[in-house]
Amino acid sequence: MKVIKKYFWLLVIGAIGLFLLIQLIPFGHNRTNPAVVAEPAWSSPAARALVKEHCFQCHSNETNWTWYANIAPGSWLIAYDVIEGRDKFNFSDWNNNPGELDEMVEAIQEGEMPPIQYWIFHPNSKMDGGQKQDLINALESSIK
């Protein structure tokens, strides 16, 4: 029994050491928001507010970097998602990186957006059918 206890504590200390060590890996530490350059011509302030609520966290330069965005390995996933989201299209740099409306609508209808790793930690972001349609309407009225 003493041997099992010894290995258990070695495992716990090793896991804590590994957790502390991965904090030194630099990916995910650059949590900056570049300046907003240009947005789509929003059809209304309500349309912008709806899109902001559901999309801006990853698809804009207005990311709200939460406290857990500072802790690896979560910081890696968050940074990767924001980089990928901004690369796909960026509501804050619309003239240089616009999105394809058809792709946005399909991703929303299919439940691909927001992705599961986002709504698990933000349960209010998961949309029902009516909310999806409202978001699609806001996008369709603003993006030509």
Side-chain angles (χ1 to χ4, degrees):
M1 197 61 144
K2 268 187 165 179
V3 172
I4 293 174
K5 250 185 175 177
K6 180 180 176 181
Y7 283 120
F8 171 77
W9 285 112
L10 281 174
L11 183 63
V12 168
I13 290 169
I16 291 170
L18 180 61
F19 176 77
L20 293 173
L21 189 61
I22 66 173
Q23 302 311 309
L24 301 174
I25 297 173
F27 182 76
H29 291 262
N30 183 13
R31 292 170 293 277
T32 59
N33 285 328
V36 174
V37 179
E39 291 191 10
W42 300 108
S43 60
S44 69
R48 184 188 187 277
L50 193 58
V51 175
K52 180 176 182 173
E53 178 184 350
H54 293 286
C55 308
F56 272 39
Q57 189 64 9
C58 294
H59 293 283
S60 81
N61 294 346
E62 298 180 41
T63 301
N64 177 24
W65 298 100
T66 56
W67 64 268
Y68 50 86
N70 297 305
I71 302 170
S75 61
W76 304 340
L77 178 61
I78 293 166
Y80 178 79
D81 284 348
V82 171
I83 290 167
E84 288 292 305
R86 288 177 180 172
D87 187 53
K88 186 76 175 165
F89 63 89
N90 189 336
F91 287 113
S92 298
D93 192 13
W94 195 253
N95 293 340
N96 294 317
N97 195 8
E100 294 291 327
L101 179 60
D102 293 344
E103 289 179 21
M104 291 180 206
V105 169
E106 183 178 342
I108 294 165
Q109 287 174 334
E110 298 296 321
E112 296 169 10
M113 287 291 139
I116 188 170
Q117 69 268 24
Y118 184 78
W119 61 257
I120 282 177
F121 294 102
H122 305 90
N124 293 341
S125 69
K126 190 161 171 79
M127 297 179 282
D128 63 26
Q131 291 170 312
K132 286 180 183 181
Q133 192 57 53
D134 290 344
L135 178 59
I136 290 169
N137 292 344
L139 289 166
E140 288 177 339
S141 68
S142 300
I143 298 170
K144 308 295 184 237

